[in-house]
Amino acid sequence: MGKKGPRAASLLDKLPVDPVIIVMLTISLLIFALFLIAPLASLFLSPRSILTTDLLKSYLDYPYISLEPIGDEWIITLDRDGVTHIIFTWRNYGIILNTILAAILVTIFTSIIGVLVALAMARYDFPGKNILRILVIVPLLYTPFVNAFVIYKFLGDGGIISSITSHLGFTIEFQDIAGMILAQTMMFWPIVYLNVYSSMVQIDPSLEEQAENLGASGLKLFRSVTLPLSMPGLASGAAIVFIFSMEDLAAPLAFKVEDVISIRIVKEILSSATIMELSPDTVILALILVVTASTWFIAIKRYVSLRQYAMVVRGGRWTPRRFKPSLLGYLLIYLLMAPWTLFSAIPQFGVLVYAFTEQWIGVTPTGLTLDNFRYIFSEPVTLTALKNSLVYAGSAVLVIIVIAVSSAYVASRVKSRLAWLVDLLSTIPIAIPGLALATGLIILYGFSRASEVWPFSLLNPIEYSPALLLILAYAVRRSPFTTRAIYAGLQQVHEALEESAMNLGASRARVLATIVIPLIGINIFSGALISFVYSVAEVSTSITVGRIHPIDEGYAPMTAVMYEYLTGGYGGGNYIHIVAAMATLILTVQLLVITVTNILLKQRYAFIGV
Amino acid sequence: MVRVTLSGVTKRYGRVTAVDNVSLEIGDGEIFTLLGPSGCGKTTTLRIIAGFERPDSGKIMFDDEDVTSLKPHLRGTAMVFQNYALWPHMTVFDNVAYGLKLRKVPKGEIRKRVKEALELVGLSGLEDRYPLQLSGGQQQRVALARAIVVEPRVLLLDEPLSNLDAKLRLRMREEIVSLQRRLGITTIYVTHDQEEAMSISDRIAVMNKGKVLQVDTPQGIYRNPRSYFVATFIGRTTTLRGIIEASENGVYRVRAGGLTIFGISASGRRFRQGEEVVAVIRPEDFTIAGDGGVNVIQGRVDLVMFLGVFNQVKLSTPAGPITVYLRPKFKVSRGDQIQVYVNPEDVKLYSIAEAVED
């Protein structure tokens, strides 16, 4: 034994020497190592030659960081023709600071809204609650890019709301990053809501009753007991929103924002592929994304695990705390919460309007039609993209099932440091900005020396088809949905069921095949469906890796083509309508999947969280 | 500290009547126990007193103040929950200090009173721990300290010992009683454990199906159960079915299987000749008897279990199986034929209808 003996031994000691488990462990670790860890690591490692100190210093200045913001005002009011124009705008702090500041603001706004709505939904009963419960979820339905364009349509330059309010003597317009923040707040607040809500309904009612019994009520009760005990949910939700805001492309695209990291990376990454050289911008901005996001993620994860009180509770009875709101409560619910919820669901409905009409100029759309859908199925570019997406996502799901069954099983059944690592790796992809991963993948498999070594050379997205790399990227990014569903299923399967089979002489493989998989089949199926939808809707790697080749070469998936239509002049004057029709297809599949999984898993739509 | 009065309190959940026209008078400084099986309405009654549930009808008074519709946080009660309901995000100190802070007690005094309360429950020095770092018994004490530190008008205890192991339960039981005696707080205690209720209470209300069946001292409940439910719920009993043959001076002659036994009516109600009744006898009321005489029952020993103070002996008799406790000095073994005697005063008769309904 070498000097490292004792440590290695203690790690392996706790690992049952069981071939099936070792194979599972190896598969999961290998895929995560090759397509998650290695690409992210290559962001840090490969560009030594590019990243000189002088260059790094230049990033401390405009256009990256500008401590003297450009632009004078946050809100501009103009009086023209007797109409007051209120314009919310943004003072430009440079690409990097803009991104972080906007993400912080979006996190704060979504947290406040999410907590208040969660409190109302978790503790109060009021007419119309069930309708709101459904509406709240609508902003989370994925309609790549287009929902943000609808928000712009309503509140951007010459928006519908202004057209209506101009009769009352004023207009409201959101410009640039101010608009992006608004759009992201509307799109992401339900993430906080869902996480906080699930925390709140898990609080043992007696903890609040005890506080009341000792004299607390109202705000004091909320501040001293309810909110602190909801912090795990709030922290998880907030972390996700922060990361989503940083890597979001839809809102900046719709509000024509140039100076944020995500937009800049997408532009740079494509030019680097055409000139066959990496731009430092791509690497550095991707690094900033990863470092910021993972710092957040790790901090929050630590924070949450410290506060998972596992509820001290044993026994006692569980009388859910539901109240009738006071008069003020009713006013807040019906005059603020309900309108806001309705308002933030508008974009998804707007997508449908775009999809089924010829024109939407001014307030009312015109020309009810199915032409936009006919276009998708007749135009070669879009039809190929549709097929590509189905094939890529379908293949990814096969890989996902292997990863997810392995990592969920290992995480729930094996007590070892390696199992802990598998558990971490299988949840972390949610928190890794897709654009950073995409950049890493292109560096590693497109430019690095590893990309010249067989079999990795086959993955080179520049020389060959990007299909293989896309499939594996989807698999890594979307596996957490399936892993979670399976993990939840395994929690329900008592280990004694497996032990008694093994005790009767069954091998681990046989136990898996005859006991475990039949019992969690529904979880695998539902999880796979969810992963499939989110693979079809995947944006970050699709519009980067998937667009390295021009889209008419026929490798691009749907979201890449959608992006191209929104930015590159495809589709003529009604390009938004065509993109909206594609988004509607994705939306339809999503609704189907949600319905099916809800029926199968009897589980709420709460997959998004740390 | 107050007198608590419930009059005609009723609470329904849908078609279920959880609390059915309950009237109680709980004296100042008394330990009063609500005892009954799970689902009998005892916890709901307690929650109504605390203000977490509003009764559909009836009134709750603290002394002369009607608190029926007063919000829980204004009632000045302090409750100890079955699961202790310690806030996991606060230290022991903060948990105990919570109620005092709400009462705007000055900082220095909070410190002093929390310290005293923790001393009282024997937890000095654990102020900075979090609830999850404490054992079950310690958590229990924190919950108790948190309740008494605010000097509540009424102390409400909801199955406070049910999560503790047997030995700790006995100890905490004594501690709660001595603490209550020292502080003199009106205390309402909910439990399903009859032995616990017997040992700590000044008075007990036995509840079943939302109704209060009997309110009495522990001795009264044990010796003179007025209904079949109370008789069989409290302590161990043997029940024999029989038919009234005759009565004399309030003593009835009952034909039970192949036996004739004498007993008295438990509720004071008179039975008719030929009426079907159930006789309830406690095992410790039997003694070994000589031959012949009234209420001497002969039986074959089927099973002997050593319980320490007693031997629990199961006898096969012409009236059916009966259980008797015998002093270990009487050596009996399986298969022996023995004779036992029970005083007619200790044979309680109930109408069959009561027993069947139960």
Side-chain angles (χ1 to χ4, degrees):
Chain A
M1 278 250 164
K3 275 187 180 165
K4 285 180 184 164
R7 226 176 119 213
S10 72
L11 203 69
L12 284 174
D13 267 351
K14 294 175 200 151
L15 204 66
V17 187
D18 187 323
V20 177
I21 293 218
I22 291 184
V23 168
M24 285 181 148
L25 203 60
T26 316
I27 291 178
S28 332
L29 288 178
L30 201 65
I31 292 181
F32 285 120
L34 286 176
F35 301 103
L36 183 69
I37 306 297
L40 290 177
S42 66
L43 279 181
F44 290 86
L45 298 178
S46 70
R48 275 291 136 92
S49 55
I50 303 172
L51 302 183
T52 60
T53 344
D54 284 344
L55 186 93
L56 282 178
K57 267 190 199 146
S58 73
Y59 277 87
L60 293 176
D61 217 336
Y62 188 79
Y64 299 98
I65 291 176
S66 155
L67 294 178
E68 288 289 315
I70 298 161
D72 302 324
E73 286 173 282
W74 299 101
I75 302 170
I76 304 169
T77 45
L78 297 173
D79 277 311
R80 237 185 283 133
D81 312 326
V83 176
T84 310
H85 300 273
I86 306 162
I87 301 168
F88 293 87
T89 178
W90 181 261
R91 303 178 73 192
N92 194 334
Y93 286 90
I95 295 169
I96 295 170
L97 276 187
N98 282 345
T99 308
I100 293 173
L101 284 176
I104 290 173
L105 286 173
V106 171
T107 308
I108 292 172
F109 294 153
T110 52
S111 295
I112 294 170
I113 299 168
V115 168
L116 290 179
V117 176
L119 184 69
M121 299 295 271
R123 293 286 182 267
Y124 293 94
D125 278 327
F126 48 89
K129 183 169 163 182
N130 284 329
I131 299 170
L132 283 188
R133 209 196 286 281
I134 295 168
L135 277 179
V136 159
I137 305 298
V138 171
L140 291 182
L141 295 172
Y142 226 77
T143 48
F145 310 118
V146 200
N147 52 337
F149 280 80
V150 178
I151 297 173
Y152 182 81
K153 173 91 195 147
F154 274 80
L155 280 164
D157 182 16
I160 290 179
I161 289 185
S162 290
S163 313
I164 297 166
T165 58
S166 63
H167 301 295
L168 305 171
F170 72 99
T171 68
I172 299 173
E173 181 192 336
F174 284 79
Q175 274 183 355
D176 201 26
I177 291 178
M180 179 184 98
I181 291 171
L182 169 80
Q184 290 179 346
T185 304
M186 287 172 67
M187 298 190 300
F188 300 146
W189 73 272
I191 297 173
V192 177
Y193 158 77
L194 284 177
N195 283 281
V196 174
Y197 178 85
S198 79
S199 267
M200 275 183 187
V201 295
Q202 276 171 35
I203 296 174
D204 184 327
S206 66
L207 293 176
E208 287 184 4
E209 284 176 352
Q210 179 77 76
E212 260 186 329
N213 174 246
L214 291 175
S217 66
L219 194 62
K220 173 73 190 171
L221 174 68
F222 175 73
R223 255 199 3 231
S224 61
V225 176
T226 316
L227 186 62
L229 292 175
S230 307
M231 276 316 280
L234 177 55
S236 314
I240 294 291
V241 167
F242 184 84
I243 294 162
F244 277 19
S245 163
M246 282 210 304
E247 73 156 346
D248 176 48
L249 286 160
L253 212 57
F255 282 86
K256 307 182 174 78
V257 176
E258 295 281 332
D259 290 340
V260 288
I261 293 179
S262 57
I263 291 283
R264 192 56 79 105
I265 288 184
V266 173
K267 288 198 168 145
E268 291 292 328
I269 221 172
L270 291 175
S271 64
S272 68
T274 39
I275 58 175
M276 286 307 283
E277 198 181 62
L278 261 179
S279 84
D281 250 21
T282 327
V283 178
I284 288 168
L285 295 178
L287 269 175
I288 291 172
L289 274 189
V290 181
V291 171
T292 327
S294 47
T295 312
W296 254 101
F297 181 77
I298 290 165
I300 296 284
K301 191 105 178 163
R302 268 188 75 105
Y303 175 86
V304 169
S305 71
L306 285 177
R307 275 164 189 69
Q308 278 309 359
Y309 306 107
M311 295 297 139
V312 198
V313 170
R314 281 153 291 157
R317 68 186 214 167
W318 200 284
T319 324
R321 287 169 62 79
R322 290 283 163 73
F323 304 104
K324 280 216 156 15
S326 61
L327 182 65
L328 179 68
Y330 274 119
L331 289 177
L332 289 175
I333 286 169
Y334 292 122
L335 294 183
L336 276 180
M337 183 180 129
W340 166 259
T341 308
L342 204 63
F343 179 60
S344 60
I346 282 179
Q348 268 64 15
F349 294 107
V351 171
L352 298 179
V353 173
Y354 267 126
F356 289 99
T357 56
E358 277 168 10
Q359 260 197 346
W360 194 2
I361 296 166
V363 178
T364 39
T366 52
L368 203 61
T369 179
L370 285 174
D371 280 351
N372 303 316
F373 292 93
R374 266 185 219 116
Y375 179 96
I376 299 172
F377 291 103
S378 56
E379 180 68 23
V381 172
T382 47
L383 185 61
T384 313
L386 184 63
K387 283 185 197 153
N388 284 343
S389 277
L390 295 179
V391 172
Y392 298 167
S395 318
V397 163
L398 297 181
V399 182
I400 285 172
I401 290 175
V402 175
I403 302 178
V405 170
S406 306
S407 43
Y409 190 75
V410 170
S412 73
R413 292 294 188 264
V414 181
K415 280 165 199 68
S416 125
R417 295 282 278 279
L418 282 176
W420 173 84
L421 182 65
V422 171
D423 187 31
L424 180 71
L425 285 176
S426 62
T427 46
I428 211 166
I430 288 186
I432 298 293
L435 287 172
L437 182 64
T439 311
L441 286 169
I442 291 175
I443 293 175
L444 184 61
Y445 296 104
F447 292 110
S448 77
R449 242 171 289 149
S451 69
E452 290 153 25
V453 184
W454 191 88
F456 299 116
S457 51
L458 297 178
L459 294 168
N460 190 330
I462 301 169
E463 288 201 29
Y464 304 104
S465 153
L468 213 47
L469 201 55
L470 273 179
I471 289 168
L472 288 162
Y474 288 178
V476 167
R477 291 204 71 204
R478 299 315 195 206
S479 63
F481 299 110
T482 311
T483 310
R484 275 188 196 194
I486 297 177
Y487 189 82
L490 285 172
Q491 302 288 78
Q492 311 282 318
V493 178
H494 200 285
E495 263 190 273
L497 295 179
E498 294 169 56
E499 284 164 353
S500 61
M502 277 191 260
N503 176 254
L504 291 172
S507 65
R508 176 79 70 172
R510 204 182 166 81
V511 168
L512 269 175
T514 58
I515 313 278
V516 180
I517 292 185
L519 286 173
I520 58 165
I522 286 177
N523 298 74
I524 299 179
F525 180 68
S526 320
L529 279 181
I530 297 162
S531 288
F532 176 78
V533 173
Y534 285 105
S535 295
V536 170
E538 203 273 353
V539 167
S540 305
T541 48
S542 304
I543 66 164
T544 46
V545 177
R547 230 159 41 104
I548 286 179
H549 295 268
I551 62 167
D552 38 23
E553 281 184 34
Y555 298 125
M558 230 186 338
T559 44
V561 169
M562 290 164 81
Y563 187 84
E564 195 78 31
Y565 269 61
L566 290 171
T567 57
Y570 279 85
N574 60 345
Y575 62 93
I576 291 190
H577 297 263
I578 293 162
V579 177
M582 288 194 256
T584 303
L585 292 182
I586 294 175
L587 185 70
T588 313
V589 181
Q590 245 173 113
L591 289 174
L592 273 175
V593 165
I594 290 167
T595 315
V596 171
T597 52
N598 271 352
I599 292 169
L600 289 181
L601 291 181
K602 295 176 185 65
Q603 185 183 337
R604 266 177 217 293
Y605 183 76
F607 298 100
I608 302 174
V610 175
Chain B
M1 274 135 273
V2 293
R3 190 176 73 250
V4 178
T5 315
L6 275 71
S7 36
V9 170
T10 298
K11 176 78 187 172
R12 289 183 205 86
Y13 296 105
R15 274 181 302 167
V16 182
T17 305
V19 177
D20 194 352
N21 194 22
V22 165
S23 297
L24 294 169
E25 177 111 6
I26 296 150
D28 189 352
E30 193 177 23
I31 302 190
F32 190 91
T33 297
L34 300 172
L35 171 68
S38 61
C40 73
K42 55 191 192 301
T43 295
T44 308
T45 307
L46 194 74
R47 290 172 60 83
I48 288 174
I49 297 170
F52 297 127
E53 316 279 345
R54 257 195 94 163
D56 297 320
S57 59
K59 231 164 56 170
I60 301 110
M61 310 275 289
F62 288 180
D63 283 341
D64 296 322
E65 183 192 354
D66 186 343
V67 298
T68 313
S69 48
L70 198 63
K71 289 257 189 320
H73 68 274
L74 302 173
R75 289 200 183 190
T77 68
M79 182 146 164
V80 174
F81 284 78
Q82 186 176 6
N83 55 36
Y84 318 141
L86 299 181
W87 299 300
H89 60 297
M90 297 183 199
T91 59
V92 167
F93 181 89
D94 289 334
N95 263 283
V96 178
Y98 190 86
L100 296 176
K101 284 180 189 158
L102 284 167
R103 283 161 181 72
K104 306 253 186 308
V105 176
K107 267 213 169 113
E109 203 191 327
I110 291 183
R111 203 153 277 287
K112 192 173 130 256
R113 280 170 67 178
V114 170
K115 194 164 170 274
E116 283 169 5
L118 288 175
E119 256 165 38
L120 213 52
V121 298
L123 280 185
S124 297
L126 298 183
E127 286 86 347
D128 296 328
R129 299 270 189 96
Y130 282 90
L132 286 177
Q133 299 168 314
L134 302 178
S135 70
Q138 290 171 327
Q139 292 180 4
Q140 226 291 315
R141 287 157 204 258
V142 176
L144 203 57
R146 182 174 61 182
I148 57 175
V149 79
V150 298
E151 292 168 1
R153 299 208 279 175
V154 189
L155 180 62
L156 305 172
L157 302 164
D158 183 10
E159 306 249 9
L161 305 181
S162 65
N163 284 331
L164 301 178
D165 65 54
K167 214 165 167 183
L168 198 53
R169 202 177 310 157
L170 290 183
R171 218 176 88 201
M172 284 308 296
R173 192 156 97 184
E174 287 170 21
E175 287 185 20
I176 287 178
V177 176
S178 66
L179 199 62
Q180 195 274 346
R181 292 287 176 244
R182 229 178 315 161
L183 301 172
I185 306 173
T186 309
T187 300
I188 304 174
Y189 193 104
V190 159
T191 182
H192 66 275
D193 181 333
Q194 35 117 349
E195 194 194 310
E196 198 172 297
M198 292 289 160
S199 61
I200 65 156
S201 313
D202 292 321
R203 285 190 306 145
I204 297 173
V206 181
M207 291 185 72
N208 189 35
K209 296 178 181 164
K211 288 199 172 75
V212 171
L213 300 179
Q214 188 171 350
V215 181
D216 209 335
T217 59
Q219 294 80 358
I221 297 270
Y222 191 80
R223 293 312 317 172
N224 299 306
R226 305 282 294 277
S227 58
Y228 177 81
F229 176 84
V230 176
T232 51
F233 183 71
I234 311 280
R236 278 195 71 101
T237 48
T238 287
T239 56
L240 301 171
R241 287 174 78 143
I243 289 167
I244 300 283
E245 284 190 334
S247 75
E248 196 180 319
N249 298 332
V251 178
Y252 293 89
R253 193 173 81 216
V254 180
R255 184 95 204 134
L259 279 179
T260 301
I261 48 172
F262 292 85
I264 58 165
S265 168
S267 59
R269 190 193 138 210
R270 301 183 63 86
F271 296 111
R272 284 172 287 106
Q273 200 179 341
E275 192 173 340
E276 229 185 316
V277 293
V278 181
V280 178
I281 311 163
R282 297 209 183 274
E284 66 271 25
D285 290 336
F286 288 102
T287 50
I288 289 280
D291 289 337
V294 160
N295 271 10
V296 171
I297 302 168
Q298 186 166 40
R300 194 187 69 239
V301 176
D302 273 348
L303 187 69
V304 181
M305 291 173 85
F306 178 58
L307 297 185
V309 188
F310 293 115
N311 273 328
Q312 179 186 318
V313 178
K314 198 154 184 199
L315 294 180
S316 219
T317 76
I322 66 175
T323 304
V324 306
Y325 287 166
L326 296 178
R327 293 258 163 222
K329 67 177 180 185
F330 298 112
K331 299 256 182 297
V332 291
S333 44
R334 199 163 166 244
D336 289 355
Q337 287 285 340
I338 62 167
Q339 294 181 54
V340 290
Y341 164 76
V342 58
N343 188 331
E345 292 272 301
D346 295 328
V347 178
K348 304 285 190 322
L349 304 176
Y350 302 90
S351 81
I352 189 82
E354 235 186 280
V356 170
E357 189 190 308
D358 193 56

